[in-house]
Amino acid sequence: MDTQDLQVVQQRIQETIEVLNDFNKLGDKERGRSSYVEQLIKDMAIYYGYSEFLLEKLFYLFSVSEVAYKAVEFFESNEISRPITIRTNTLRTRRRDLAQSLINKGTTLEPIGKWTKVGLTVFDSSVPIGATPEYLAGHYMLQSASSFLPVMALAPQENEKILDMAAAPGGKTTYMAALMKNTGLIFANDANKERIKSLVSNIHRLGVKNTVVCNYDGREFPTVMGGFDRVLLDAPCSGTGVISKDPSVKINKTYKDFILLSHLQKELILSAIDSVDAKSSTGGYIVYSTCSVTVDENEDVVNYALKKRPNVKLVQTGLDFGQEGFTKYRGKIFHPSLKLTRRYYPHVHNMDGFFVSKFKKFSNHYTRTNKDDIIVDNDNFEDNSSQNDIHFNDEEDQKYIEASLNKSLKRKGFKIQKDNSKSQESKKQRLKAGVSNN
Amino acid sequence: MRPLTEDETKVFFEKLTKYIGKNVLHLVDRSDETYYFRLHNEKVYYVSDSMLRQAVSIGRDQLASLGVCFGKFTKSKKFKLHITALDYLAQYAKYKLWIKPNGEGSFLYGNHVLKAHIGRITEDTPEHQGVIIYSMSDIPLGFGVTARSTVEIRKLKPTDIVAFHQADIGEYLREQDTLF
């Protein structure tokens, strides 16, 4: 596609948006609104280089009235890279000291925003920011602003036992350790053996001493170890929030990928919830986050967890900015408490697209009160509802019970007369009494 | 994961003593909590009692690291201190060497320390002594072994080697794939 064609497409996008904004006046009624939208999605997929499937998925994240403008803003911002941000490692230094020594090395930087006391944005640097002596000495970590959020939501306390289910490369783990002042115990887990290396490296570089690093599939977790005060699940995701960092997402994610990912996320979130001890005096919290903006990987997963685990509820994340999560989306209706979750967009907050939700587990046990409570999802491959109906049919089993009883009597040396049912009956009764006495 | 054998303990503490002398005792005898040295995958980890109790539930194949790694035993049963031990070494260091900003880069690429780069050095450092190397702003950069004693250093030419490189924090980037 040469540039001239692209210009034509861009012009058509502009026109379609204008029509959609004032459809009553400008629109061709016979053609219908939906065909305009279809055209717009097709054009935008060409112009921004997305697969049509993904573009449509992202397009509908924005409410219909303002959809076109917002969507264009969103896609435009995916073309621009976010500013480089770093996090001060408070185990080693203070932000003021770090800023001073980096400025002396010829960088220009300023605090990220009012919401964090440890973040710095680097605008310009004459030295490689990932290889200064301060970096190597562990005074700071290169970390995107959005990845501060789940840790701030988790709010780990000193002397707690915490699990990070998908930890590599360790930006969030080391932030947790810094907030806990190296006390307590953190289990940093990652399923990928190669990424474990960078995780261990970062943990040592930043002087974190309270961490055990392990290499399990996150889904094994309540079996390996449970009873955590808090669990952070920054789930593996499609990365639709970080397209500016990794543009390959635009075309290589298909319908199937989203099904598989959200299935994995649903399994992981249940493991995460089951690993937490609700009786913890300080904690009992789970934070679920992704660097994706699609609803299937976020609200849908959270809603699924609420349905499957009636012993958790959503609580405020403690983050004072960000947009509320969806409570309904394209015909799907979610639990009303989903408005407590937070969404972040590149075009609104100038950080990677992100999603944060925080659960409180208030009981270690739960009962399914009635069957209607459990709505079996189409995405859910296993069928749990039938398990509740299994019980024994004593009448039908009577002959088997008798047969096995006779067998055991024989083994003990009693003679059993088959025909004389009366004496057998009385003998059996006697024996039954004997058994129950034992 | 297991405690060190007697031979291993000897080799390990001999090496540590080269850098921090009698301060080794402070590592073993702590007032806050009991700490142990544990061997896992030929690497030696410094672990607190409470962490050790919890970490036993992690399977051997799945356990990647715990507490702080001090270094590893080589195939010939010698002990090699890793850069990850720097925190504790710097805390208890007996002999120190500061290098000027113009020498920082060279040392962080794995080169030996030249006389021209020395800012300061602990008085009466003997020859072949383990030293911790700092930048002028007191950031620990690594450790090495002196080539000459403090007195002899004065007579050297600016381009002569003063301390042999053992480990530096640049390895976090250079050796990430082999070290961890």
Side-chain angles (χ1 to χ4, degrees), chain A residues 42-86:
Chain A
K42 265 191 192 139
D43 284 345
M44 281 169 79
I46 292 167
Y47 186 68
Y48 293 108
Y50 287 71
S51 69
E52 236 172 83
F53 159 73
L54 184 62
L55 197 122
E56 188 180 338
K57 208 175 210 15
L58 297 172
F59 186 85
Y60 283 110
L61 286 174
F62 305 96
S63 65
V64 182
S65 56
E66 55 186 9
V67 59
Y69 276 122
K70 278 286 158 65
V72 168
E73 269 178 39
F74 173 76
F75 290 112
E76 280 294 340
S77 70
N78 277 345
E79 304 300 310
I80 313 160
S81 59
R82 306 273 85 74
I84 298 168
T85 52
I86 60 176

mmCIF file of all heavy atoms in Angstrom, chain A residues 42-86:
data_model
loop_
_atom_site.group_PDB
_atom_site.id
_atom_site.type_symbol
_atom_site.label_atom_id
_atom_site.label_comp_id
_atom_site.label_asym_id
_atom_site.label_seq_id
_atom_site.Cartn_x
_atom_site.Cartn_y
_atom_site.Cartn_z
ATOM 1 N N LYS A 42 -12.871 -1.198 9.154
ATOM 2 C CA LYS A 42 -12.021 -1.728 8.074
ATOM 3 C C LYS A 42 -10.910 -0.741 7.723
ATOM 4 O O LYS A 42 -9.744 -1.100 7.596
ATOM 5 C CB LYS A 42 -12.879 -2.002 6.835
ATOM 6 C CG LYS A 42 -13.329 -3.438 6.770
ATOM 7 C CD LYS A 42 -13.938 -3.753 5.419
ATOM 8 C CE LYS A 42 -14.634 -5.109 5.517
ATOM 9 N NZ LYS A 42 -15.909 -5.134 4.830
ATOM 10 N N ASP A 43 -11.326 0.532 7.582
ATOM 11 C CA ASP A 43 -10.345 1.553 7.196
ATOM 12 C C ASP A 43 -9.269 1.721 8.263
ATOM 13 O O ASP A 43 -8.090 1.845 7.957
ATOM 14 C CB ASP A 43 -11.055 2.892 6.968
ATOM 15 C CG ASP A 43 -11.805 2.903 5.646
ATOM 16 O OD1 ASP A 43 -11.528 2.003 4.828
ATOM 17 O OD2 ASP A 43 -12.659 3.783 5.454
ATOM 18 N N MET A 44 -9.732 1.741 9.530
ATOM 19 C CA MET A 44 -8.759 1.944 10.604
ATOM 20 C C MET A 44 -7.792 0.776 10.697
ATOM 21 O O MET A 44 -6.614 0.946 10.996
ATOM 22 C CB MET A 44 -9.484 2.162 11.936
ATOM 23 C CG MET A 44 -10.005 3.591 12.061
ATOM 24 S SD MET A 44 -11.120 3.817 13.432
ATOM 25 C CE MET A 44 -10.025 3.943 14.781
ATOM 26 N N ALA A 45 -8.288 -0.442 10.453
ATOM 27 C CA ALA A 45 -7.410 -1.610 10.474
ATOM 28 C C ALA A 45 -6.315 -1.454 9.432
ATOM 29 O O ALA A 45 -5.149 -1.768 9.689
ATOM 30 C CB ALA A 45 -8.218 -2.874 10.213
ATOM 31 N N ILE A 46 -6.682 -0.931 8.265
ATOM 32 C CA ILE A 46 -5.678 -0.724 7.216
ATOM 33 C C ILE A 46 -4.716 0.383 7.625
ATOM 34 O O ILE A 46 -3.494 0.231 7.575
ATOM 35 C CB ILE A 46 -6.364 -0.355 5.881
ATOM 36 C CG1 ILE A 46 -7.154 -1.550 5.354
ATOM 37 C CG2 ILE A 46 -5.322 0.099 4.864
ATOM 38 C CD1 ILE A 46 -8.097 -1.201 4.233
ATOM 39 N N TYR A 47 -5.287 1.490 8.095
ATOM 40 C CA TYR A 47 -4.472 2.674 8.370
ATOM 41 C C TYR A 47 -3.469 2.414 9.507
ATOM 42 O O TYR A 47 -2.309 2.802 9.417
ATOM 43 C CB TYR A 47 -5.380 3.854 8.721
ATOM 44 C CG TYR A 47 -4.623 5.149 8.883
ATOM 45 C CD1 TYR A 47 -4.019 5.752 7.778
ATOM 46 C CD2 TYR A 47 -4.512 5.758 10.117
ATOM 47 C CE1 TYR A 47 -3.308 6.930 7.917
ATOM 48 C CE2 TYR A 47 -3.805 6.935 10.264
ATOM 49 C CZ TYR A 47 -3.214 7.525 9.159
ATOM 50 O OH TYR A 47 -2.517 8.677 9.307
ATOM 51 N N TYR A 48 -3.919 1.767 10.576
ATOM 52 C CA TYR A 48 -3.019 1.548 11.712
ATOM 53 C C TYR A 48 -2.311 0.195 11.678
ATOM 54 O O TYR A 48 -1.492 -0.111 12.539
ATOM 55 C CB TYR A 48 -3.788 1.686 13.041
ATOM 56 C CG TYR A 48 -4.274 3.093 13.286
ATOM 57 C CD1 TYR A 48 -5.617 3.417 13.179
ATOM 58 C CD2 TYR A 48 -3.364 4.093 13.622
ATOM 59 C CE1 TYR A 48 -6.057 4.703 13.395
ATOM 60 C CE2 TYR A 48 -3.797 5.388 13.837
ATOM 61 C CZ TYR A 48 -5.142 5.693 13.726
ATOM 62 O OH TYR A 48 -5.551 6.969 13.948
ATOM 63 N N GLY A 49 -2.659 -0.630 10.699
ATOM 64 C CA GLY A 49 -1.952 -1.887 10.530
ATOM 65 C C GLY A 49 -2.340 -2.975 11.518
ATOM 66 O O GLY A 49 -1.494 -3.753 11.942
ATOM 67 N N TYR A 50 -3.604 -3.028 11.915
ATOM 68 C CA TYR A 50 -4.068 -4.083 12.823
ATOM 69 C C TYR A 50 -4.788 -5.175 12.028
ATOM 70 O O TYR A 50 -5.209 -4.952 10.893
ATOM 71 C CB TYR A 50 -5.075 -3.523 13.829
ATOM 72 C CG TYR A 50 -4.487 -2.657 14.902
ATOM 73 C CD1 TYR A 50 -4.010 -1.388 14.606
ATOM 74 C CD2 TYR A 50 -4.430 -3.097 16.211
ATOM 75 C CE1 TYR A 50 -3.473 -0.583 15.594
ATOM 76 C CE2 TYR A 50 -3.904 -2.303 17.206
ATOM 77 C CZ TYR A 50 -3.424 -1.039 16.889
ATOM 78 O OH TYR A 50 -2.915 -0.266 17.871
ATOM 79 N N SER A 51 -4.948 -6.326 12.668
ATOM 80 C CA SER A 51 -5.874 -7.291 12.092
ATOM 81 C C SER A 51 -7.284 -6.765 12.380
ATOM 82 O O SER A 51 -7.515 -6.123 13.401
ATOM 83 C CB SER A 51 -5.683 -8.671 12.720
ATOM 84 O OG SER A 51 -6.109 -8.655 14.054
ATOM 85 N N GLU A 52 -8.221 -7.050 11.476
ATOM 86 C CA GLU A 52 -9.559 -6.489 11.631
ATOM 87 C C GLU A 52 -10.215 -6.970 12.925
ATOM 88 O O GLU A 52 -10.924 -6.243 13.601
ATOM 89 C CB GLU A 52 -10.429 -6.883 10.432
ATOM 90 C CG GLU A 52 -11.009 -5.681 9.727
ATOM 91 C CD GLU A 52 -11.693 -6.106 8.464
ATOM 92 O OE1 GLU A 52 -12.843 -6.518 8.555
ATOM 93 O OE2 GLU A 52 -11.054 -6.037 7.386
ATOM 94 N N PHE A 53 -9.910 -8.239 13.253
ATOM 95 C CA PHE A 53 -10.497 -8.839 14.445
ATOM 96 C C PHE A 53 -10.114 -8.055 15.699
ATOM 97 O O PHE A 53 -10.953 -7.688 16.523
ATOM 98 C CB PHE A 53 -10.009 -10.293 14.560
ATOM 99 C CG PHE A 53 -10.123 -10.853 15.930
ATOM 100 C CD1 PHE A 53 -11.365 -11.192 16.451
ATOM 101 C CD2 PHE A 53 -8.996 -11.018 16.716
ATOM 102 C CE1 PHE A 53 -11.475 -11.698 17.726
ATOM 103 C CE2 PHE A 53 -9.105 -11.514 17.992
ATOM 104 C CZ PHE A 53 -10.352 -11.858 18.503
ATOM 105 N N LEU A 54 -8.801 -7.763 15.834
ATOM 106 C CA LEU A 54 -8.326 -7.072 17.031
ATOM 107 C C LEU A 54 -8.826 -5.638 17.064
ATOM 108 O O LEU A 54 -9.225 -5.122 18.106
ATOM 109 C CB LEU A 54 -6.793 -7.102 17.085
ATOM 110 C CG LEU A 54 -6.198 -6.495 18.337
ATOM 111 C CD1 LEU A 54 -6.647 -7.289 19.557
ATOM 112 C CD2 LEU A 54 -4.689 -6.472 18.268
ATOM 113 N N LEU A 55 -8.831 -5.004 15.898
ATOM 114 C CA LEU A 55 -9.266 -3.610 15.881
ATOM 115 C C LEU A 55 -10.716 -3.487 16.325
ATOM 116 O O LEU A 55 -11.069 -2.614 17.096
ATOM 117 C CB LEU A 55 -9.101 -3.007 14.493
ATOM 118 C CG LEU A 55 -9.164 -1.481 14.614
ATOM 119 C CD1 LEU A 55 -7.927 -0.841 14.080
ATOM 120 C CD2 LEU A 55 -10.407 -0.907 14.014
ATOM 121 N N GLU A 56 -11.529 -4.423 15.886
ATOM 122 C CA GLU A 56 -12.941 -4.377 16.266
ATOM 123 C C GLU A 56 -13.080 -4.560 17.775
ATOM 124 O O GLU A 56 -13.830 -3.869 18.458
ATOM 125 C CB GLU A 56 -13.711 -5.470 15.529
ATOM 126 C CG GLU A 56 -15.202 -5.346 15.723
ATOM 127 C CD GLU A 56 -15.966 -6.433 14.989
ATOM 128 O OE1 GLU A 56 -15.421 -7.003 14.031
ATOM 129 O OE2 GLU A 56 -17.101 -6.701 15.390
ATOM 130 N N LYS A 57 -12.279 -5.493 18.323
ATOM 131 C CA LYS A 57 -12.300 -5.787 19.756
ATOM 132 C C LYS A 57 -11.986 -4.529 20.564
ATOM 133 O O LYS A 57 -12.646 -4.221 21.558
ATOM 134 C CB LYS A 57 -11.251 -6.861 20.021
ATOM 135 C CG LYS A 57 -11.547 -7.732 21.205
ATOM 136 C CD LYS A 57 -10.498 -8.803 21.265
ATOM 137 C CE LYS A 57 -10.936 -10.097 21.868
ATOM 138 N NZ LYS A 57 -12.292 -10.398 22.051
ATOM 139 N N LEU A 58 -10.953 -3.810 20.107
ATOM 140 C CA LEU A 58 -10.520 -2.622 20.846
ATOM 141 C C LEU A 58 -11.461 -1.452 20.598
ATOM 142 O O LEU A 58 -11.707 -0.640 21.486
ATOM 143 C CB LEU A 58 -9.099 -2.238 20.438
ATOM 144 C CG LEU A 58 -8.039 -3.292 20.765
ATOM 145 C CD1 LEU A 58 -6.700 -2.915 20.152
ATOM 146 C CD2 LEU A 58 -7.892 -3.464 22.265
ATOM 147 N N PHE A 59 -11.991 -1.375 19.387
ATOM 148 C CA PHE A 59 -12.868 -0.271 18.989
ATOM 149 C C PHE A 59 -14.058 -0.162 19.927
ATOM 150 O O PHE A 59 -14.437 0.913 20.368
ATOM 151 C CB PHE A 59 -13.343 -0.529 17.553
ATOM 152 C CG PHE A 59 -14.142 0.579 16.956
ATOM 153 C CD1 PHE A 59 -13.510 1.652 16.341
ATOM 154 C CD2 PHE A 59 -15.530 0.550 16.980
ATOM 155 C CE1 PHE A 59 -14.236 2.666 15.783
ATOM 156 C CE2 PHE A 59 -16.273 1.575 16.420
ATOM 157 C CZ PHE A 59 -15.617 2.635 15.814
ATOM 158 N N TYR A 60 -14.650 -1.310 20.274
ATOM 159 C CA TYR A 60 -15.873 -1.294 21.060
ATOM 160 C C TYR A 60 -15.641 -1.070 22.547
ATOM 161 O O TYR A 60 -16.569 -1.138 23.340
ATOM 162 C CB TYR A 60 -16.670 -2.576 20.826
ATOM 163 C CG TYR A 60 -17.387 -2.544 19.505
ATOM 164 C CD1 TYR A 60 -16.999 -3.356 18.459
ATOM 165 C CD2 TYR A 60 -18.453 -1.671 19.314
ATOM 166 C CE1 TYR A 60 -17.652 -3.309 17.241
ATOM 167 C CE2 TYR A 60 -19.110 -1.614 18.103
ATOM 168 C CZ TYR A 60 -18.718 -2.436 17.064
ATOM 169 O OH TYR A 60 -19.359 -2.376 15.862
ATOM 170 N N LEU A 61 -14.372 -0.842 22.946
ATOM 171 C CA LEU A 61 -14.110 -0.521 24.350
ATOM 172 C C LEU A 61 -14.643 0.865 24.692
ATOM 173 O O LEU A 61 -14.821 1.207 25.850
ATOM 174 C CB LEU A 61 -12.602 -0.519 24.628
ATOM 175 C CG LEU A 61 -11.929 -1.874 24.692
ATOM 176 C CD1 LEU A 61 -10.438 -1.698 24.830
ATOM 177 C CD2 LEU A 61 -12.478 -2.682 25.843
ATOM 178 N N PHE A 62 -14.859 1.663 23.669
ATOM 179 C CA PHE A 62 -15.220 3.052 23.922
ATOM 180 C C PHE A 62 -16.702 3.234 23.678
ATOM 181 O O PHE A 62 -17.252 2.687 22.714
ATOM 182 C CB PHE A 62 -14.379 3.965 23.033
ATOM 183 C CG PHE A 62 -12.920 3.705 23.228
ATOM 184 C CD1 PHE A 62 -12.239 2.857 22.383
ATOM 185 C CD2 PHE A 62 -12.250 4.254 24.314
ATOM 186 C CE1 PHE A 62 -10.894 2.578 22.597
ATOM 187 C CE2 PHE A 62 -10.923 3.978 24.522
ATOM 188 C CZ PHE A 62 -10.235 3.141 23.668
ATOM 189 N N SER A 63 -17.339 3.999 24.568
ATOM 190 C CA SER A 63 -18.795 4.067 24.547
ATOM 191 C C SER A 63 -19.275 4.627 23.209
ATOM 192 O O SER A 63 -18.605 5.461 22.597
ATOM 193 C CB SER A 63 -19.298 4.938 25.691
ATOM 194 O OG SER A 63 -18.861 6.250 25.478
ATOM 195 N N VAL A 64 -20.438 4.199 22.771
ATOM 196 C CA VAL A 64 -20.842 4.393 21.381
ATOM 197 C C VAL A 64 -20.907 5.867 20.982
ATOM 198 O O VAL A 64 -20.511 6.235 19.888
ATOM 199 C CB VAL A 64 -22.206 3.718 21.128
ATOM 200 C CG1 VAL A 64 -22.597 3.884 19.678
ATOM 201 C CG2 VAL A 64 -22.113 2.249 21.482
ATOM 202 N N SER A 65 -21.372 6.727 21.888
ATOM 203 C CA SER A 65 -21.563 8.126 21.508
ATOM 204 C C SER A 65 -20.246 8.793 21.095
ATOM 205 O O SER A 65 -20.210 9.559 20.146
ATOM 206 C CB SER A 65 -22.196 8.891 22.663
ATOM 207 O OG SER A 65 -21.396 8.733 23.801
ATOM 208 N N GLU A 66 -19.186 8.488 21.826
ATOM 209 C CA GLU A 66 -17.924 9.165 21.527
ATOM 210 C C GLU A 66 -16.922 8.206 20.911
ATOM 211 O O GLU A 66 -15.749 8.512 20.789
ATOM 212 C CB GLU A 66 -17.355 9.751 22.818
ATOM 213 C CG GLU A 66 -17.209 8.707 23.898
ATOM 214 C CD GLU A 66 -16.780 9.308 25.216
ATOM 215 O OE1 GLU A 66 -16.765 10.546 25.335
ATOM 216 O OE2 GLU A 66 -16.435 8.542 26.116
ATOM 217 N N VAL A 67 -17.421 7.013 20.534
ATOM 218 C CA VAL A 67 -16.528 5.931 20.165
ATOM 219 C C VAL A 67 -15.464 6.344 19.155
ATOM 220 O O VAL A 67 -14.287 6.102 19.362
ATOM 221 C CB VAL A 67 -17.334 4.715 19.659
ATOM 222 C CG1 VAL A 67 -18.169 5.064 18.468
ATOM 223 C CG2 VAL A 67 -16.427 3.579 19.347
ATOM 224 N N ALA A 68 -15.889 7.035 18.112
ATOM 225 C CA ALA A 68 -14.964 7.256 17.018
ATOM 226 C C ALA A 68 -13.760 8.093 17.437
ATOM 227 O O ALA A 68 -12.618 7.688 17.245
ATOM 228 C CB ALA A 68 -15.705 7.930 15.876
ATOM 229 N N TYR A 69 -14.054 9.261 18.066
ATOM 230 C CA TYR A 69 -12.941 10.129 18.450
ATOM 231 C C TYR A 69 -12.001 9.444 19.431
ATOM 232 O O TYR A 69 -10.788 9.462 19.284
ATOM 233 C CB TYR A 69 -13.471 11.423 19.089
ATOM 234 C CG TYR A 69 -13.831 12.459 18.059
ATOM 235 C CD1 TYR A 69 -15.103 12.993 17.983
ATOM 236 C CD2 TYR A 69 -12.860 12.895 17.158
ATOM 237 C CE1 TYR A 69 -15.430 13.937 17.035
ATOM 238 C CE2 TYR A 69 -13.184 13.832 16.194
ATOM 239 C CZ TYR A 69 -14.471 14.352 16.131
ATOM 240 O OH TYR A 69 -14.766 15.271 15.189
ATOM 241 N N LYS A 70 -12.609 8.823 20.463
ATOM 242 C CA LYS A 70 -11.812 8.181 21.502
ATOM 243 C C LYS A 70 -10.961 7.062 20.918
ATOM 244 O O LYS A 70 -9.796 6.901 21.244
ATOM 245 C CB LYS A 70 -12.731 7.631 22.601
ATOM 246 C CG LYS A 70 -13.150 8.677 23.601
ATOM 247 C CD LYS A 70 -11.987 9.003 24.524
ATOM 248 C CE LYS A 70 -12.106 10.348 25.178
ATOM 249 N NZ LYS A 70 -13.214 10.469 26.081
ATOM 250 N N ALA A 71 -11.585 6.274 20.035
ATOM 251 C CA ALA A 71 -10.867 5.153 19.465
ATOM 252 C C ALA A 71 -9.681 5.652 18.652
ATOM 253 O O ALA A 71 -8.578 5.115 18.751
ATOM 254 C CB ALA A 71 -11.797 4.318 18.601
ATOM 255 N N VAL A 72 -9.905 6.726 17.866
ATOM 256 C CA VAL A 72 -8.802 7.265 17.084
ATOM 257 C C VAL A 72 -7.681 7.723 18.004
ATOM 258 O O VAL A 72 -6.509 7.418 17.785
ATOM 259 C CB VAL A 72 -9.290 8.422 16.190
ATOM 260 C CG1 VAL A 72 -8.106 9.174 15.612
ATOM 261 C CG2 VAL A 72 -10.170 7.893 15.092
ATOM 262 N N GLU A 73 -8.058 8.413 19.084
ATOM 263 C CA GLU A 73 -7.039 8.860 20.047
ATOM 264 C C GLU A 73 -6.253 7.676 20.588
ATOM 265 O O GLU A 73 -5.036 7.699 20.701
ATOM 266 C CB GLU A 73 -7.716 9.573 21.229
ATOM 267 C CG GLU A 73 -7.867 11.055 21.038
ATOM 268 C CD GLU A 73 -8.594 11.665 22.232
ATOM 269 O OE1 GLU A 73 -8.329 11.223 23.366
ATOM 270 O OE2 GLU A 73 -9.426 12.557 22.007
ATOM 271 N N PHE A 74 -6.993 6.615 20.935
ATOM 272 C CA PHE A 74 -6.361 5.424 21.483
ATOM 273 C C PHE A 74 -5.362 4.820 20.499
ATOM 274 O O PHE A 74 -4.216 4.542 20.837
ATOM 275 C CB PHE A 74 -7.437 4.401 21.861
ATOM 276 C CG PHE A 74 -6.917 3.067 22.279
ATOM 277 C CD1 PHE A 74 -6.363 2.894 23.541
ATOM 278 C CD2 PHE A 74 -6.964 1.972 21.426
ATOM 279 C CE1 PHE A 74 -5.877 1.659 23.938
ATOM 280 C CE2 PHE A 74 -6.485 0.738 21.813
ATOM 281 C CZ PHE A 74 -5.940 0.588 23.066
ATOM 282 N N PHE A 75 -5.809 4.663 19.243
ATOM 283 C CA PHE A 75 -4.920 4.036 18.272
ATOM 284 C C PHE A 75 -3.741 4.931 17.931
ATOM 285 O O PHE A 75 -2.633 4.457 17.714
ATOM 286 C CB PHE A 75 -5.694 3.635 17.018
ATOM 287 C CG PHE A 75 -6.639 2.499 17.261
ATOM 288 C CD1 PHE A 75 -8.005 2.678 17.210
ATOM 289 C CD2 PHE A 75 -6.138 1.244 17.572
ATOM 290 C CE1 PHE A 75 -8.873 1.631 17.462
ATOM 291 C CE2 PHE A 75 -6.994 0.192 17.826
ATOM 292 C CZ PHE A 75 -8.368 0.386 17.772
ATOM 293 N N GLU A 76 -4.003 6.233 17.901
ATOM 294 C CA GLU A 76 -2.892 7.166 17.656
ATOM 295 C C GLU A 76 -1.835 7.034 18.746
ATOM 296 O O GLU A 76 -0.644 6.984 18.490
ATOM 297 C CB GLU A 76 -3.412 8.617 17.624
ATOM 298 C CG GLU A 76 -4.049 9.040 16.315
ATOM 299 C CD GLU A 76 -3.059 9.087 15.157
ATOM 300 O OE1 GLU A 76 -1.841 9.161 15.408
ATOM 301 O OE2 GLU A 76 -3.517 9.041 13.993
ATOM 302 N N SER A 77 -2.296 6.955 20.009
ATOM 303 C CA SER A 77 -1.340 6.932 21.114
ATOM 304 C C SER A 77 -0.563 5.622 21.144
ATOM 305 O O SER A 77 0.513 5.554 21.725
ATOM 306 C CB SER A 77 -2.055 7.147 22.445
ATOM 307 O OG SER A 77 -2.832 6.017 22.742
ATOM 308 N N ASN A 78 -1.091 4.577 20.504
ATOM 309 C CA ASN A 78 -0.330 3.334 20.427
ATOM 310 C C ASN A 78 0.865 3.449 19.485
ATOM 311 O O ASN A 78 1.748 2.607 19.487
ATOM 312 C CB ASN A 78 -1.232 2.190 19.946
ATOM 313 C CG ASN A 78 -2.030 1.606 21.081
ATOM 314 O OD1 ASN A 78 -1.721 1.844 22.237
ATOM 315 N ND2 ASN A 78 -3.051 0.845 20.743
ATOM 316 N N GLU A 79 0.840 4.498 18.634
ATOM 317 C CA GLU A 79 1.946 4.687 17.701
ATOM 318 C C GLU A 79 3.112 5.437 18.341
ATOM 319 O O GLU A 79 4.220 5.409 17.847
ATOM 320 C CB GLU A 79 1.471 5.456 16.452
ATOM 321 C CG GLU A 79 0.307 4.807 15.727
ATOM 322 C CD GLU A 79 0.651 3.405 15.251
ATOM 323 O OE1 GLU A 79 1.700 3.234 14.618
ATOM 324 O OE2 GLU A 79 -0.135 2.480 15.551
ATOM 325 N N ILE A 80 2.812 6.129 19.442
ATOM 326 C CA ILE A 80 3.856 6.917 20.110
ATOM 327 C C ILE A 80 4.372 6.107 21.292
ATOM 328 O O ILE A 80 3.584 5.490 22.010
ATOM 329 C CB ILE A 80 3.280 8.244 20.645
ATOM 330 C CG1 ILE A 80 2.420 8.919 19.570
ATOM 331 C CG2 ILE A 80 4.379 9.163 21.117
ATOM 332 C CD1 ILE A 80 1.461 9.942 20.144
ATOM 333 N N SER A 81 5.687 6.154 21.518
ATOM 334 C CA SER A 81 6.181 5.399 22.665
ATOM 335 C C SER A 81 6.016 6.225 23.931
ATOM 336 O O SER A 81 6.050 7.450 23.916
ATOM 337 C CB SER A 81 7.639 5.004 22.450
ATOM 338 O OG SER A 81 8.409 6.149 22.266
ATOM 339 N N ARG A 82 5.790 5.522 25.037
ATOM 340 C CA ARG A 82 5.621 6.189 26.333
ATOM 341 C C ARG A 82 6.978 6.677 26.830
ATOM 342 O O ARG A 82 8.022 6.132 26.452
ATOM 343 C CB ARG A 82 5.035 5.213 27.344
ATOM 344 C CG ARG A 82 3.751 4.516 26.926
ATOM 345 C CD ARG A 82 2.544 5.329 27.284
ATOM 346 N NE ARG A 82 2.239 6.319 26.265
ATOM 347 C CZ ARG A 82 1.702 6.024 25.097
ATOM 348 N NH1 ARG A 82 1.407 4.802 24.773
ATOM 349 N NH2 ARG A 82 1.454 6.967 24.228
ATOM 350 N N PRO A 83 6.985 7.695 27.714
ATOM 351 C CA PRO A 83 8.258 8.138 28.266
ATOM 352 C C PRO A 83 8.903 7.038 29.129
ATOM 353 O O PRO A 83 8.202 6.209 29.708
ATOM 354 C CB PRO A 83 7.868 9.350 29.122
ATOM 355 C CG PRO A 83 6.406 9.228 29.356
ATOM 356 C CD PRO A 83 5.865 8.506 28.185
ATOM 357 N N ILE A 84 10.235 7.062 29.193
ATOM 358 C CA ILE A 84 10.944 6.094 30.039
ATOM 359 C C ILE A 84 10.743 6.489 31.496
ATOM 360 O O ILE A 84 10.909 7.648 31.864
ATOM 361 C CB ILE A 84 12.454 6.107 29.728
ATOM 362 C CG1 ILE A 84 12.683 5.687 28.273
ATOM 363 C CG2 ILE A 84 13.214 5.196 30.674
ATOM 364 C CD1 ILE A 84 14.095 5.937 27.807
ATOM 365 N N THR A 85 10.363 5.531 32.317
ATOM 366 C CA THR A 85 10.210 5.837 33.735
ATOM 367 C C THR A 85 11.061 4.880 34.557
ATOM 368 O O THR A 85 11.312 3.749 34.156
ATOM 369 C CB THR A 85 8.742 5.694 34.187
ATOM 370 O OG1 THR A 85 8.265 4.410 33.778
ATOM 371 C CG2 THR A 85 7.869 6.762 33.581
ATOM 372 N N ILE A 86 11.520 5.358 35.709
ATOM 373 C CA ILE A 86 12.313 4.517 36.603
ATOM 374 C C ILE A 86 11.709 4.566 38.005
ATOM 375 O O ILE A 86 11.003 5.508 38.352
ATOM 376 C CB ILE A 86 13.795 4.952 36.653
ATOM 377 C CG1 ILE A 86 13.931 6.380 37.143
ATOM 378 C CG2 ILE A 86 14.451 4.793 35.301
ATOM 379 C CD1 ILE A 86 15.372 6.822 37.292
#
